[in-house]
Amino acid sequence: MARVGSSSRIALYQAIQGILCVLGVLISAYAVLVEQSKTHDSTYSALCDINAWISCSKVLTSEYSKGFGVIGSLLGHDSMFNVPNSIYGLLFFSVQFAMGLFHNPSVLKVLLVMSCCSLTVVAYLALVLIFVLKDFCLVCVSTYIINIALVFLNYEMYNFYNLVAKKKFKYK
């Protein structure tokens, strides 16, 4: 009976992680669309452009929207790593989704480490958003929330999987 509960809880975690990652991919793809549209048409107004202080197209076309605002100055503006941050988001959420399909201690540890590392990027970009750009980007904040939720979820999955593994080992 404990096995059924364990597998259903793992399935629930996996479903929530999948939903979060799909949302992250969709929001990141929308960010790419907004950035490209605004770059090619200065009159473009995105759905997330609500007023002068809530404007995702302003943020997504700022100097901080590519290479986190630092890769260009470190590696050159033509560097293959100086891409829109939303491309990094697409990659991150896609990798999280794909790896989330496998549940073993090593994969869960990598997911947890990746999501914890993403918090440093989230914190940096949130500080830039608030103190440098002085704007509120709905798209950006949505990805921040998803990243934070993934940290908690990956932590729970890692701990739960290890707890279940210890119980199985103990009873063998």
Side-chain angles (χ1 to χ4, degrees), residues 91-102:
L91 180 64
F92 173 78
F93 292 120
S94 297
V95 169
Q96 284 272 315
F97 180 82
M99 289 183 72
L101 299 174
F102 305 99

Side-chain angles (χ1 to χ4, degrees), residues 29-159:
Y30 180 69
V32 171
L33 174 74
V34 169
E35 187 262 334
Q36 292 296 312
S37 298
K38 188 68 175 181
T39 300
H40 297 302
D41 179 8
S42 62
T43 62
Y44 174 78
S45 180
L47 293 172
C48 51
D49 291 341
I50 297 171
N51 59 36
W53 301 281
I54 303 174
S55 172
C56 60
S57 63
K58 178 181 161 188
V59 173
L60 295 172
T61 55
S62 74
E63 65 183 279
Y64 295 94
S65 68
K66 278 191 174 182
F68 310 107
V70 295
I71 292 177
S73 54
L74 293 174
L75 303 176
H77 293 287
D78 294 332
S79 169
M80 67 182 215
F81 299 108
N82 194 35
V83 297
N85 298 345
S86 47
I87 299 294
Y88 285 111
L90 282 169
L91 180 64
F92 173 78
F93 292 120
S94 297
V95 169
Q96 284 272 315
F97 180 82
M99 289 183 72
L101 299 174
F102 305 99
H103 285 101
N104 68 55
S106 298
V107 171
L108 291 173
K109 188 180 279 188
V110 170
L111 285 171
L112 180 58
V113 169
M114 281 178 61
S115 58
C116 286
C117 289
S118 78
L119 287 183
T120 59
V121 175
V122 165
Y124 165 72
L125 291 175
L127 289 171
V128 167
L129 186 64
I130 295 166
F131 296 110
V132 177
L133 299 175
K134 296 180 170 91
D135 204 323
F136 185 83
C137 171
L138 290 171
V139 168
C140 305
V141 171
S142 298
T143 61
Y144 303 164
I145 291 168
I146 292 170
N147 275 310
I148 292 166
L150 281 172
V151 169
F152 286 110
L153 184 67
N154 288 333
Y155 178 76
E156 283 297 314
M157 283 193 322
Y158 179 74
N159 281 338

